[in-house]
């Protein structure tokens, strides 16, 4: 008997301190199993299936809990940007820098 090393990839959450991995349901065995891929790429169908579980699969992969937290943070930032006046006008500063008219 010989053994050949094989690399497998688990889809894991990229949030700091989180170690959750994608788990899919096996209907035949009536249990969940850790998703393992033979290459670090996913098909569009697999991405959709993972997203249906609440994962964000984009530039970063986030588990449902971290995806919710990231979404809430993004919404809070947008609300602040929309409801607060900036401390200084960036357009005036950029125009002065280009023309050299800064006093």
């Amino acid at each position: 008997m010989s053994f050949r090393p094989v690399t497998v990839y688990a889809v894991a959450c990229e949030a700091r301190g989180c170690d959750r991995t994608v788990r899919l349901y096996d209907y035949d065995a009536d249990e969940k199993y850790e998703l393992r891929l033979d290459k670090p790429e996913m098909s569009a169908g697999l991405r959709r299936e993972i997203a249906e579980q609440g994962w964000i699969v984009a530039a970063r992969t986030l588990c449902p809990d971290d995806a919710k937290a990231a979404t809430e943070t993004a919404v809070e930032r947008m609300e602040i940007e929309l409801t607060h006046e900036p401390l200084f006008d960036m357009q005036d500063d950029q125009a002065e820098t280009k023309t050299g008219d800064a006093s």
Side-chain angles (χ1 to χ4, degrees), residues 62-100:
L62 298 173
C63 69
D65 294 338
D66 291 317
K68 182 178 177 184
T71 302
E72 289 171 356
T73 301
V75 168
E76 287 174 8
R77 286 182 183 167
M78 290 298 293
E79 288 173 348
I80 290 170
E81 288 179 16
L82 293 173
T83 59
H84 290 75
E85 292 294 321
L87 297 175
F88 49 88
D89 190 7
M90 292 295 291
Q91 292 177 342
D92 288 342
D93 290 344
Q94 290 174 357
E96 290 174 0
T97 303
K98 285 182 182 177
T99 60

Side-chain angles (χ1 to χ4, degrees), residues 10 18 36-39 47 49 51 54-55 59 61 66 70 80 82-83 89 98 100:
C18 185
R36 295 187 179 154
L37 305 171
D38 59 352
K39 56 187 175 183
R47 286 178 179 270
E49 187 173 348
W55 285 72
T61 304
D66 291 317
I80 290 170
L82 293 173
T83 59
D89 190 7
K98 285 182 182 177

Side-chain angles (χ1 to χ4, degrees), residues 9-14 21-24 35-51 53 55-62:
Y9 300 89
V11 180
C13 181
E14 293 181 50
T21 58
V22 172
R23 299 184 68 76
L24 298 178
L35 174 65
R36 295 187 179 154
L37 305 171
D38 59 352
K39 56 187 175 183
E41 299 168 2
M42 287 187 283
S43 67
L46 183 56
R47 286 178 179 270
R48 250 189 325 275
E49 187 173 348
I50 293 170
Q53 293 183 13
W55 285 72
I56 289 181
V57 183
R60 294 180 66 205
T61 304
L62 298 173

